[in-house]
């Protein structure tokens, strides 16, 4: 299944505490359950003013539907074409 990186511009998100992040995660998971098993949240990176999320889904449209339903921005969505790491250089 295709994998995507979603960039969410959310000023101040890095200042949120564990309870707020837990609530946001619960809201996201609730919408994911409604949309069905075709869309999966892998993990996210929280920075000062953005969240970068990794999702698996059959299409960008389904990711946008999740974002709209959950009330999260999806400022950019890019399909992952390859994954590299230090072992790629060997």
């Amino acid at each position: 299944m295709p994998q995507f990186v979603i960039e969410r511009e959310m000023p101040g998100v890095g200042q949120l505490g564990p309870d707020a992040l837990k609530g946001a995660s619960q809201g996201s998971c609730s919408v994911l359950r409604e949309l069905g098993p075709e869309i999966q949240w892998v993990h996210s990176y929280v920075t000062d003013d953005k969240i970068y999320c990794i999702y698996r889904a059959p299409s960008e449209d389904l990711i946008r539907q999740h974002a709209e339903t959950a009330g999260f921005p999806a400022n950019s969505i890019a399909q992952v074409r390859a994954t590299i790491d230090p072992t790629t250089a060997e």
Side-chain angles (χ1 to χ4, degrees):
M1 181 168 329
Q3 191 160 276
F4 295 87
V5 177
I6 301 106
E7 181 182 45
R8 305 181 191 282
E9 294 181 16
M10 302 174 70
V13 72
Q15 302 303 314
L16 294 179
D19 289 339
L21 293 173
K22 180 179 180 179
S25 296
Q26 289 172 336
S28 177
C29 288
S30 176
V31 173
L32 288 169
R33 282 190 295 275
E34 291 174 19
L35 293 175
E38 288 189 324
I39 182 169
Q40 302 167 352
W41 175 24
V42 179
H43 60 263
S44 297
Y45 300 98
V46 179
T47 66
D48 289 338
D49 296 313
K50 294 181 182 182
I51 299 179
Y52 299 90
C53 303
I54 307 299
Y55 275 67
R56 292 185 188 108
S59 69
E60 183 178 322
D61 290 338
L62 189 55
I63 291 172
R64 288 201 184 280
Q65 182 181 354
H66 170 267
E68 290 172 13
T69 304
F72 297 122
N75 301 93
S76 71
I77 300 171
Q79 186 171 345
V80 175
R81 300 297 180 186
T83 302
I84 61 173
D85 62 31
T87 62
T88 306
E90 297 174 359

